[in-house]
Amino acid sequence: MTVIKWNVRAGAYYDSVVLMQLQRGLLGLPGVVDAGAVMATPANRDLLAANNLLPESITANPDDLLIVIKANDDASAEAAIGQVDDLLTKRKSSNSPNSLEFRPRSLSAAVKQLPEANWVLVSVPGRYAAGVAREALDLGKHVFLYSDNVLLEDEIALKKIAREKGLLVMGPDCGTALINGIGLGFANRVRRGSIGVVGASGTGTQAVTAQIHNLGAGISHAIGTGGRDLKSDVGAITAHQALDVLARDDETRVIVLISKPPSPEVATQLISAAQTTGKPVVIYFIGYPPPARKIGNLKFAISLSEAAELSIREVENSRILQSSNSRFVRGLFSGGTLAYETMIGLQAFLSPLFSNSPITHSQNLEDPLHSKFHTIIDLGDEFFMVGRLHPMIDNDLRIRRMKQEAADAEVGMILFDVVLGEGSHVNPAGELAPVIKEIRGKRIGESKSRGGRVAPNDFGGAYRDHNLDGDLEFVAMVIGTDDDPQNLQLQVSQLEEAGVTVFRTAAEAVEYISLRFSASKQNDFTPVNLEQLKQPLAAINVGLESFYDSLLSQGAQAVHVEWRPPAGGNEKLAALLQKMRK
Amino acid sequence: MTVIKWNVRAGAYYDSVVLMQLQRGLLGLPGVVDAGAVMATPANRDLLAANNLLPESITANPDDLLIVIKANDDASAEAAIGQVDDLLTKRKSSNSPNSLEFRPRSLSAAVKQLPEANWVLVSVPGRYAAGVAREALDLGKHVFLYSDNVLLEDEIALKKIAREKGLLVMGPDCGTALINGIGLGFANRVRRGSIGVVGASGTGTQAVTAQIHNLGAGISHAIGTGGRDLKSDVGAITAHQALDVLARDDETRVIVLISKPPSPEVATQLISAAQTTGKPVVIYFIGYPPPARKIGNLKFAISLSEAAELSIREVENSRILQSSNSRFVRGLFSGGTLAYETMIGLQAFLSPLFSNSPITHSQNLEDPLHSKFHTIIDLGDEFFMVGRLHPMIDNDLRIRRMKQEAADAEVGMILFDVVLGEGSHVNPAGELAPVIKEIRGKRIGESKSRGGRVAPNDFGGAYRDHNLDGDLEFVAMVIGTDDDPQNLQLQVSQLEEAGVTVFRTAAEAVEYISLRFSASKQNDFTPVNLEQLKQPLAAINVGLESFYDSLLSQGAQAVHVEWRPPAGGNEKLAALLQKMRK
């Protein structure tokens, strides 16, 4: 038979290392069977209950420290409770050889002690973290924000300030970073090399950087963003800054971008930004169907280990040139799956994208008869099919829709499929090609009468007749075999003669379109100073002392702040002090 | 200035080929600028309006035929309207050399004419299609159901009947199939070969089969299912039948399975079924994040063209042996992304799966402190982190949870990660391994005292000490480098000595687990007669005559039914006739 005793200490701050040591100290006492020492939050109370350490009669507030002892007898339990003060006041022994040196008690004092420090590591409890991070930004320092339980609005505010100043806020809840060979927070020891990482996922970044090392290559910098950076509210501020600075870093030859699934708009923007880096970028959006294996300079991975492998293979890849096109794509498909697969590819870089066969709800085209922005129409959808032959047999609907789309001056490309084989129209290209010729003739005429300029493209000034300003480009994917009754070669040649760019798979067509519609680079932020990343790392640590120890063991210069929360963690007193200062 | 005239014909059935020919006939008349001939459904009215062919004053019911003429003058428009009857009664000229032969007017008459026909192609309008399909099933025939706009409840009813009888219902809205070298509906001409296809997507199947041909290989059979087959309401009845019959077909050495994203339960069941085929199966769930590149005998593609390429590469692959395990997996992770990536893999073959960091809403574990079924816990989630050190630093929470999970006899495997590097615990395996040893000792003891048998596994009767009945298997993924401060080799060896199976990436761990937890084969349906697939194809066609022509041109035996809807398409009269028959 065991007994349980407990002790509640009203609202005060305790470091989580201190709590762990208190619990371990209590467990080591004679007669003690189990012990808990936690802040009495609902989650922690549930955890105690799960370990049979929470008698119903305990009342405590979330800010209170709750100590529970399960012992063999009353005397042992009482004795353990009696030890709590001693255990709490006993300074934990530091592993640091520098523990006897002077330690500043504020960030500003630490900066005076180590003015070359460009980085501040913050791992204090969440409710204090935003304040410390803001102070660091005010002092002109980059912030590695390990703390979790930071409010989303604080994250947004901090990142906006940082973006203005050309500073990085890595986090909150950022587990890892590697800057110039030094690991911040949790970080595997990896050799330096030419692969840069932008990671919205801490262990994801660790797994990838560790494997890059294990496969013989190395890391230039790995910049963490925190898991919420890619949510639409935050808009991937840090990820955009990180992509930009790694794009400018000559030591970084390949970039890996890792994140849990971002919101579709954020994904499109990030992919655009990745395209404009001019470097191979390996993207792994965990749980997001990859739009393709490869789109221009982008490669899409489907696992952490594959991201590592691909990045190493890409190190030798060269710079990719791109042209751009700001008008809209309209896809008119007879094959539902071809339409769908094409959308999966296009949604990575065209936004907003709509369809009568949408992937996500936000892509739903309410009126299938009228396109808007980029649109993919499945003309074989049931909506179009009552009393009507399938568009693989009857081209009438598609021809009418082609003319309708072509009448919209905002449309820059019409994309369509031609599915050959048994059962299909005997000569689809024979019906479509003349219409396309007619449309293109009309468009070019209109463009000339408006005095439309004929623009050289980005491929060294060469002209391509279907890339002209004002012109409308036609792209087709032809699905068929040499044995099909329609004569595959004849179908392709009729389309090509009408000026259509022809592909044989959806994947190839998608890659082509990505190059025609890639975004041009437009930064709306102050660039991060690349030179600061290249300097020997010097940092100030506020919070977990183990992070400070690890900086020193890696040979970095560092100062640890003996941080205590305002008013000793007493929230009421802190609020009063704050008021008095104003 | 043009004029518009129109004509409405009350509720009667018109073949969509007839309507297309009527429209084309009208467009060819003198003075006619544009014309429409459609059933007056809302969708078709909108289409007319989009082509400026719908004056506001027209009233017509969805069952009515609406004919609209836009002409240069009144006289031309009137003349065109006057031609409608002639154009409608003019029999379309058949391309078929057999057009003069006797044609049955009912399915049963057709069966008498061609008793060897095992297949019925149905492409009549949706509202009549279920009736024809049911008649075909009653006659013991497989159904290729091209028609769309068939009710979901009719699909389910038809497929349940078919499953009882060992017959296939391919469709509704099934565009393509290849049976024994003959294309049904829309089909590319491809050579015969050793790759079988199960396709819930028509153009997807066409694109894959065409590319397999273009790459030099060939198709045994391609079985369509219709796009809704993989919805949870239908439960992939046809896809399961198709996988089963292709598994039994010796000519089929590799199977390709293509579908739009299925519901998670259906996906898990289909993947299980694919595992038990004992053949390499290439799966492409369009828009579904692939769980891995490879899981046992399964390969996952991310595009149609990749599905084709992978299937050809797999032709040489051999049969795979599997063991099975019916208990639950519990994952206890310190790394959120490792947990997430593991879930993406596991959800393909473990169901139901829960997590405090779920991928889909249905996987949400309400109480993170108590697992159920298969569960993956992210112990670094904010919920666990108030006033507590991260599980990469402090193993206490994980050790307690391991013991909790081990106390559940339903748990067959505990999976966890160990993330090494700067900032992490100095010797995590040193704390975890003794606990694991203790747990395993206790479990084996309990099993022996219950008289638990020691079962040989499927690998030739060899015993593996951590696969014993009643035993609890531990699997770890260790993330780290040779240079990490914890000594990677020491961490791995401590775990292995405690009986833990150790992997270095999540992908490898997932593949291992898939083999340990693969389902055993249990068919709950009458198998489809494989010999019927291997006979020279003979079919009865009800609906689009072009499908009949295409069967003949491929050398198949076929009979075309001169089908007309009951009571000439007059629904009231049809209902009356139906009543009188009862």
Side-chain angles (χ1 to χ4, degrees):
Chain A
M1 189 61 198
T2 55
V3 297
I4 288 189
K5 300 266 173 195
W6 63 92
N7 186 243
V8 177
R9 312 210 155 199
Y13 168 76
Y14 297 94
D15 188 288
S16 44
V17 176
V18 170
L19 295 183
M20 176 184 75
Q21 292 185 330
L22 170 60
Q23 182 177 321
R24 298 207 163 187
L26 293 169
L27 279 168
L29 295 175
V32 172
V33 177
D34 201 352
V38 293
M39 304 309 294
T41 60
N44 284 336
R45 290 174 67 108
D46 288 348
L47 275 165
L48 287 175
N51 287 285
N52 301 315
L53 280 172
L54 190 74
E56 283 177 19
S57 47
I58 291 184
T59 55
N61 296 318
D63 278 344
D64 297 342
L65 172 61
L66 171 59
I67 299 146
V68 186
I69 311 282
K70 183 188 278 185
N72 289 325
D73 50 62
D74 271 351
S76 304
E78 297 284 3
I81 294 279
Q83 291 287 309
V84 169
D85 280 324
D86 271 8
L87 288 166
L88 272 176
T89 49
K90 201 196 283 174
R91 275 285 296 130
K92 77 185 184 76
S93 62
S94 171
N95 300 320
S96 155
N98 304 53
S99 60
L100 296 175
E101 72 185 19
F102 169 75
R103 284 186 165 180
R105 293 184 172 263
S106 73
L107 195 51
S108 51
V111 168
K112 281 181 197 140
Q113 198 175 326
L114 188 63
E116 58 270 49
N118 288 321
W119 307 86
V120 175
L121 283 67
V122 181
S123 54
V124 301
R127 53 185 163 162
Y128 309 113
V132 177
R134 192 176 303 246
E135 199 183 340
L137 293 176
D138 289 344
L139 291 163
K141 309 299 179 192
H142 301 287
V143 176
F144 175 84
L145 185 50
Y146 168 86
S147 311
D148 51 50
N149 283 295
V150 171
L151 297 177
L152 184 63
E153 56 257 39
D154 283 337
E155 173 170 357
I156 295 169
L158 288 169
K159 288 190 170 176
K160 285 187 174 166
I161 294 168
R163 182 170 59 180
E164 286 279 307
K165 290 175 177 269
L167 295 172
L168 293 165
V169 172
M170 298 189 266
D173 203 10
C174 182
T176 189
L178 287 163
I179 303 294
N180 203 13
I182 303 293
L184 309 184
F186 300 125
N188 296 96
R189 286 196 187 154
V190 301
R191 79 178 64 75
R192 296 226 54 200
S194 53
I195 299 170
V197 178
V198 180
S201 137
T203 45
T205 302
Q206 284 196 256
V208 167
T209 54
Q211 201 177 352
I212 287 171
H213 172 93
N214 293 338
L215 294 172
I219 300 296
S220 57
H221 307 284
I223 300 175
T225 69
R228 290 188 308 212
D229 189 64
L230 271 60
K231 294 208 169 189
S232 26
D233 294 334
V234 186
I237 291 175
T238 307
H240 278 283
Q241 292 175 297
L243 274 176
D244 174 67
V245 73
L246 292 177
R248 286 183 280 117
D249 176 24
D250 287 339
E251 288 169 40
T252 301
R253 289 170 63 193
V254 172
I255 300 170
V256 180
L257 172 62
I258 313 162
S259 163
K260 281 199 191 175
S263 72
E265 323 81 75
V266 171
T268 307
Q269 289 155 7
L270 263 185
I271 289 172
S272 289
Q275 285 185 306
T276 62
T277 59
K279 296 183 178 181
V281 181
V282 175
I283 298 177
Y284 176 35
F285 288 143
I286 309 154
Y288 180 90
R293 283 270 181 261
K294 175 177 174 297
I295 292 182
N297 58 325
L298 312 182
K299 291 252 179 177
F300 292 87
I302 67 147
S303 68
L304 295 165
S305 46
E306 189 176 273
E309 289 157 18
L310 285 176
S311 69
I312 292 171
R313 252 184 267 159
E314 286 300 305
V315 169
E316 295 309 317
N317 274 24
S318 59
R319 210 178 162 81
I320 292 187
L321 286 172
Q322 295 165 339
S323 65
S324 70
N325 188 328
S326 59
R327 289 179 296 156
F328 298 125
V329 177
R330 300 285 158 81
L332 305 177
F333 282 81
S334 61
T337 299
L338 295 173
Y340 202 83
E341 177 161 303
T342 301
M343 281 198 65
I344 289 168
L346 296 186
Q347 71 176 358
F349 52 88
L350 295 184
S351 179
L353 177 63
F354 294 95
S355 178
N356 65 331
S357 169
I359 298 166
T360 64
H361 184 71
S362 64
Q363 293 166 336
N364 185 46
L365 182 71
E366 290 101 25
D367 178 1
L369 299 175
H370 294 96
S371 306
K372 55 182 180 181
F373 301 98
H374 304 288
T375 293
I376 301 293
I377 297 289
D378 172 10
L379 292 167
D381 185 71
E382 291 197 340
F383 172 86
F384 291 108
M385 292 296 290
V386 179
R388 188 184 305 279
L389 288 171
H390 194 280
M392 286 191 205
I393 307 176
D394 183 359
N395 294 300
D396 179 68
L397 192 60
R398 178 139 63 173
I399 286 172
R400 286 176 183 269
R401 187 63 176 252
M402 269 189 187
K403 289 179 178 167
Q404 180 186 327
E405 302 296 351
D408 180 350
E410 292 293 302
V411 174
M413 180 185 288
I414 291 180
L415 171 68
F416 61 100
D417 61 348
V418 175
V419 182
L420 307 179
E422 291 296 341
S424 291
H425 192 279
V426 292
N427 183 14
E431 290 200 355
L432 294 168
V435 176
I436 292 167
K437 257 187 196 156
E438 179 196 325
I439 290 172
R440 293 191 57 237
K442 213 174 150 203
R443 265 279 191 126
I444 291 170
E446 282 167 7
S447 173
K448 278 188 186 149
S449 70
R450 283 198 314 269
R453 71 192 163 82
V454 175
N457 68 21
D458 288 357
F459 296 93
Y463 293 86
R464 289 177 64 188
D465 72 349
H466 53 282
N467 279 349
L468 305 186
D469 198 34
D471 192 12
L472 178 61
E473 186 170 1
F474 285 81
V475 174
M477 47 189 89
V478 176
I479 308 300
T481 73
D482 285 342
D483 294 341
D484 279 336
Q486 290 88 352
N487 187 341
L488 175 64
Q489 283 317 312
L490 177 67
Q491 297 301 311
V492 170
S493 65
Q494 287 179 104
L495 292 171
E496 286 181 342
E497 273 167 35
V500 179
T501 308
V502 177
F503 296 95
R504 299 288 303 282
T505 66
E508 290 168 311
V510 165
E511 178 163 10
Y512 175 76
I513 299 166
S514 80
L515 297 177
R516 302 283 300 120
F517 281 81
S518 61
S520 52
K521 194 172 168 65
Q522 287 174 323
N523 279 351
D524 56 349
F525 54 81
T526 309
V528 172
N529 184 342
L530 177 61
E531 292 313 310
Q532 289 186 350
L533 265 74
K534 296 186 167 187
Q535 287 161 14
L537 191 124
I540 293 162
N541 185 57
V542 192
L544 286 174
E545 196 167 346
S546 59
F547 289 169
Y548 167 68
D549 296 340
S550 128
L551 286 171
L552 295 182
S553 74
Q554 295 178 82
Q557 275 196 287
V559 167
H560 182 73
V561 176
E562 282 287 341
W563 183 85
R564 287 291 172 270
N570 184 317
E571 308 243 333
K572 281 182 193 161
L573 187 55
L576 201 66
L577 285 172
Q578 187 72 23
K579 258 191 193 159
M580 285 167 64
R581 275 190 210 135
K582 280 182 184 165
Chain B
M1 191 60 199
T2 55
V3 297
I4 289 187
K5 302 266 171 192
W6 64 92
N7 185 242
V8 177
R9 310 205 157 205
Y13 167 76
Y14 296 95
D15 188 287
S16 44
V17 175
V18 170
L19 294 184
M20 177 183 76
Q21 291 185 330
L22 170 60
Q23 183 177 322
R24 298 207 162 187
L26 292 169
L27 279 168
L29 295 175
V32 173
V33 177
D34 202 353
V38 292
M39 304 311 293
T41 60
N44 284 335
R45 292 174 65 106
D46 288 349
L47 276 165
L48 287 176
N51 287 284
N52 300 314
L53 280 173
L54 191 75
E56 284 176 18
S57 46
I58 291 183
T59 55
N61 296 318
D63 278 345
D64 298 340
L65 170 60
L66 172 58
I67 299 146
V68 186
I69 311 283
K70 183 188 278 185
N72 289 323
D73 49 63
D74 272 352
S76 304
E78 297 285 3
I81 295 280
Q83 291 286 309
V84 168
D85 280 323
D86 270 9
L87 288 166
L88 274 176
T89 49
K90 204 195 279 176
R91 276 284 296 125
K92 77 186 184 77
S93 62
S94 170
N95 300 320
S96 153
N98 304 51
S99 59
L100 296 175
E101 71 184 20
F102 169 75
R103 285 186 165 179
R105 293 186 172 264
S106 73
L107 195 50
S108 50
V111 168
K112 281 179 197 142
Q113 198 174 327
L114 189 63
E116 59 270 47
N118 287 321
W119 307 87
V120 175
L121 283 68
V122 181
S123 54
V124 302
R127 53 186 162 160
Y128 309 113
V132 178
R134 191 176 303 246
E135 200 183 340
L137 293 175
D138 289 345
L139 292 163
K141 309 299 179 192
H142 301 287
V143 176
F144 175 83
L145 186 50
Y146 168 85
S147 311
D148 51 51
N149 282 295
V150 171
L151 297 177
L152 184 62
E153 56 257 40
D154 284 337
E155 173 170 356
I156 295 168
L158 288 169
K159 289 189 169 175
K160 285 187 173 165
I161 294 169
R163 182 170 58 182
E164 285 280 307
K165 291 175 177 268
L167 295 172
L168 294 165
V169 172
M170 298 190 264
D173 203 10
C174 181
T176 190
L178 288 163
I179 303 296
N180 202 14
I182 303 292
L184 309 183
F186 300 123
N188 297 97
R189 285 195 187 155
V190 302
R191 78 178 64 77
R192 297 226 53 201
S194 55
I195 299 169
V197 178
V198 179
S201 137
T203 45
T205 302
Q206 284 196 255
V208 167
T209 54
Q211 201 178 353
I212 286 171
H213 171 93
N214 293 336
L215 294 171
I219 300 297
S220 56
H221 307 283
I223 300 175
T225 69
R228 290 187 309 212
D229 189 65
L230 271 62
K231 294 209 167 189
S232 24
D233 293 333
V234 186
I237 292 176
T238 307
H240 278 284
Q241 292 176 297
L243 275 176
D244 173 67
V245 73
L246 292 177
R248 287 183 280 118
D249 175 25
D250 287 339
E251 288 168 41
T252 301
R253 290 170 63 194
V254 172
I255 300 169
V256 180
L257 173 62
I258 314 161
S259 163
K260 281 197 190 177
S263 72
E265 322 83 76
V266 171
T268 308
Q269 289 157 6
L270 263 185
I271 289 171
S272 291
Q275 285 185 306
T276 62
T277 59
K279 296 184 179 182
V281 181
V282 176
I283 297 178
Y284 176 36
F285 289 142
I286 309 156
Y288 181 90
R293 284 268 182 261
K294 175 177 174 297
I295 292 181
N297 58 328
L298 312 182
K299 291 253 177 176
F300 292 87
I302 67 147
S303 67
L304 294 165
S305 46
E306 191 177 271
E309 289 156 17
L310 286 175
S311 68
I312 293 172
R313 253 185 267 160
E314 286 300 304
V315 169
E316 295 309 316
N317 273 27
S318 60
R319 216 179 157 84
I320 293 187
L321 286 172
Q322 295 168 338
S323 65
S324 70
N325 189 328
S326 61
R327 289 179 298 156
F328 297 125
V329 176
R330 300 287 160 81
L332 304 177
F333 282 82
S334 61
T337 298
L338 295 173
Y340 201 85
E341 178 162 304
T342 301
M343 281 198 66
I344 289 169
L346 296 186
Q347 70 176 358
F349 52 88
L350 296 185
S351 178
L353 178 63
F354 294 94
S355 178
N356 64 332
S357 169
I359 297 166
T360 64
H361 183 71
S362 63
Q363 293 165 337
N364 186 46
L365 182 71
E366 290 101 27
D367 179 1
L369 299 175
H370 295 96
S371 307
K372 55 181 179 181
F373 299 97
H374 304 289
T375 294
I376 301 294
I377 297 289
D378 172 10
L379 292 167
D381 185 71
E382 290 196 340
F383 172 87
F384 292 106
M385 292 296 290
V386 179
R388 186 185 306 278
L389 288 171
H390 194 278
M392 286 190 205
I393 307 175
D394 182 1
N395 294 301
D396 178 69
L397 192 58
R398 178 140 62 174
I399 287 171
R400 286 177 184 268
R401 187 66 175 252
M402 268 188 188
K403 289 178 178 166
Q404 180 184 326
E405 301 295 351
D408 179 351
E410 292 294 301
V411 174
M413 180 185 289
I414 291 179
L415 171 68
F416 61 101
D417 61 347
V418 175
V419 182
L420 308 179
E422 292 294 343
S424 291
H425 191 279
V426 292
N427 182 14
E431 290 201 356
L432 294 168
V435 177
I436 292 167
K437 255 188 197 154
E438 179 196 326
I439 290 173
R440 293 191 57 236
K442 211 173 151 207
R443 265 280 190 125
I444 290 169
E446 281 168 6
S447 171
K448 279 187 185 148
S449 71
R450 284 199 311 269
R453 71 192 164 83
V454 175
N457 66 21
D458 289 358
F459 297 94
Y463 292 87
R464 290 177 64 186
D465 72 349
H466 53 284
N467 281 348
L468 304 187
D469 199 33
D471 192 11
L472 177 61
E473 185 169 2
F474 284 81
V475 174
M477 47 190 89
V478 176
I479 307 298
T481 73
D482 284 343
D483 294 341
D484 279 336
Q486 289 88 352
N487 187 342
L488 175 65
Q489 283 317 312
L490 178 66
Q491 297 301 310
V492 170
S493 65
Q494 286 178 104
L495 292 171
E496 286 181 341
E497 272 166 36
V500 179
T501 308
V502 177
F503 297 95
R504 299 288 304 282
T505 66
E508 289 168 312
V510 164
E511 178 163 10
Y512 175 76
I513 299 166
S514 79
L515 297 177
R516 303 283 300 118
F517 282 81
S518 62
S520 53
K521 194 173 168 64
Q522 287 174 322
N523 280 351
D524 55 350
F525 53 82
T526 309
V528 171
N529 183 342
L530 178 59
E531 291 314 309
Q532 289 185 349
L533 264 73
K534 295 185 168 188
Q535 287 161 13
L537 190 123
I540 292 162
N541 185 57
V542 192
L544 286 174
E545 197 168 346
S546 59
F547 288 168
Y548 168 66
D549 296 340
S550 128
L551 286 171
L552 296 183
S553 75
Q554 296 177 82
Q557 274 196 290
V559 167
H560 182 72
V561 176
E562 281 288 340
W563 182 85
R564 287 290 172 271
N570 183 317
E571 309 244 331
K572 282 181 192 160
L573 186 55
L576 201 66
L577 286 172
Q578 187 71 23
K579 257 190 193 160
M580 285 166 65
R581 273 188 212 138
K582 279 181 186 165

